[in-house]
Coordinates of all heavy atoms in Angstrom, one line a residue:
Chain H
G197 N 0.6 -4.4 24.6 CA -0.1 -3.2 25.0 C -0.7 -2.4 23.8 O 0.0 -2.3 22.8
H198 N -2.0 -2.0 23.9 CA -2.6 -1.1 22.8 C -3.3 0.0 23.6 O -3.1 0.1 24.8 CB -3.6 -2.0 22.0 CG -3.0 -3.2 21.3 ND1 -2.4 -3.1 20.1 CD2 -2.9 -4.6 21.6 CE1 -1.9 -4.3 19.7 NE2 -2.3 -5.2 20.6
C233 N -5.3 3.2 17.8 CA -4.4 2.7 18.8 C -3.4 3.7 19.0 O -2.8 4.1 17.9 CB -3.9 1.3 18.4 SG -2.6 0.7 19.5
Q235 N -0.8 3.4 21.3 CA 0.2 2.8 22.0 C 1.1 2.0 21.0 O 0.6 1.0 20.5 CB -0.3 1.9 23.2 CG 0.7 1.5 24.3 CD 1.2 2.7 25.0 OE1 2.2 3.2 24.6 NE2 0.5 3.1 26.0
C237 N 2.5 -0.5 19.1 CA 2.4 -1.9 19.5 C 2.9 -3.0 18.5 O 2.8 -4.1 18.6 CB 0.9 -2.2 19.5 SG -0.1 -1.9 18.1
H241 N 1.2 -1.0 13.7 CA 0.6 0.0 14.6 C -0.1 1.1 13.9 O -1.2 1.5 14.2 CB 1.6 0.5 15.6 CG 1.2 1.7 16.4 ND1 0.1 1.6 17.3 CD2 1.6 3.0 16.5 CE1 -0.1 2.8 17.8 NE2 0.8 3.6 17.3
M244 N -3.5 0.3 12.9 CA -4.5 -0.3 13.9 C -5.6 0.7 14.2 O -5.4 1.7 14.9 CB -3.7 -0.7 15.1 CG -4.6 -1.4 16.2 SD -3.8 -2.3 17.4 CE -5.1 -2.7 18.4
Ligands
CU301 CU1 -2.1 -1.4 18.9

Side-chain angles (χ1 to χ4, degrees):
Chain H
H198 298 281
C233 175
Q235 195 62 265
C237 58
H241 166 64
M244 183 163 170

